[in-house]
Amino acid sequence: MSWTDERVETLKRMWAEGQSASQIAKELGGVTRNAVIGKVHRLGLSNRVGGTAGKEEEEEVVETPVAAPAAPDPVASRPEPAKPAAPVAEPVVTRAEPAPRPAAERPAAAPAASAGNVTPLPLRKAIVPAGQPLPPQPSANEISPEALAKVGEVEKRARKLTLMELTERTCKWPIGDPATDDFWFCGLPSQPGKPYCDAHVGVAFQPMSARRDRRR
DNA sequence: CCCTGATTCGC
DNA sequence: GCGAATCAGG
């Protein structure tokens, strides 16, 4: 693979969007993240300290002076790196399997959720009608007590990751109510090839037999 | 361990 | 110019 104009362009765009080198490499295909990083440097794009490697002593604040009037350029306006609306790399929360229903173990609202995260805005968590914010459940939603206990335990140690923090190796089991700020993803190490951690795999994939057994 | 970017250096 | 290997940090 060579760095064609198009590929370089993609590289530039994604890098500017704050994508990681590995993500860019994955998108481009045929290159490793090392290649991407190498190219980035050769292009002189080395910028944002993407979260690590904070070597170098940056003492020179050689940035452009203040001078940033109100109305910027009418042309080059790309201040929104949020959603390229282009080829979506990955939906992150891949659930090609039976949608999980973490309804069973609803954690009573956890007020002190995010540490030091004081909502500055009048953010109420009651966009929900009343009582039961969660959608109806699939019907037979009986899970073995063992599995439930396991989940209950595990969720106390959940890493409480945000959507953005999920990777292929983190449990994507949602916890809490998406309609409120009392919501996060388990985030514990997922089983190889599975979207969830051990405990959540246990409740997500029910053999649909066993249950009957224990019931009658 | 997983991940990140930075740098080096033989090709 | 390229990128694997290595380094360095979270």
Side-chain angles (χ1 to χ4, degrees):
Chain A
M1 281 295 193
S2 59
W3 287 106
T4 62
D5 258 28
E6 193 178 329
R7 290 165 67 79
V8 170
E9 198 177 317
T10 299
L11 164 58
K12 284 180 178 176
R13 178 177 53 77
M14 292 183 73
W15 186 260
E17 284 169 5
Q19 305 269 23
S20 71
S22 60
Q23 287 179 305
I24 297 173
K26 212 195 294 179
E27 171 73 22
L28 290 173
V31 288
T32 64
R33 75 181 194 89
N34 279 311
V36 169
I37 291 173
K39 186 60 178 175
V40 162
H41 279 240
R42 264 171 259 124
L43 288 172
L45 297 174
S46 147
N47 63 344
R48 312 284 174 218
V49 189
T52 33
K55 309 89 193 293
E56 297 183 23
E57 307 132 46
E58 270 188 40
E59 308 183 57
E60 296 267 4
V61 189
V62 195
E63 271 316 303
T64 47
V66 196
D73 346 58
V75 184
S77 50
R78 288 276 183 286
E80 189 108 359
K83 313 257 174 177
V88 180
E90 49 194 314
V92 182
V93 183
T94 29
R95 47 172 68 171
E97 311 96 33
R101 275 285 172 269
E105 64 291 335
R106 174 176 341 303
S114 35
N117 186 5
V118 186
T119 50
L121 297 180
L123 205 171
R124 55 219 150 158
K125 45 159 54 177
I127 309 178
V128 187
Q132 297 302 317
L134 292 184
Q137 298 163 27
S139 70
N141 201 2
E142 284 202 23
I143 301 172
S144 67
E146 295 80 40
L148 275 182
K150 209 171 176 183
V151 165
E153 276 305 306
V154 124
E155 292 189 357
K156 291 173 188 168
R157 303 179 346 186
R159 291 175 60 200
K160 299 191 176 182
L161 297 184
T162 66
L163 185 62
M164 245 93 84
E165 295 171 315
L166 294 175
T167 75
E168 285 116 354
R169 289 184 181 71
T170 60
C171 178
K172 301 173 187 63
W173 189 271
I175 299 173
D177 191 327
T180 73
D181 57 354
D182 181 28
F183 180 69
W184 59 82
F185 291 91
C186 173
L188 292 173
S190 63
Q191 296 293 25
K194 301 274 182 60
Y196 310 120
C197 67
D198 173 60
H200 288 130
V201 162
V203 294
F205 305 108
Q206 287 287 307
M208 85 181 163
S209 56
R211 195 169 32 184
R212 243 172 195 264
D213 266 358
R214 48 179 12 314
R215 264 184 83 65
R216 38 167 39 194

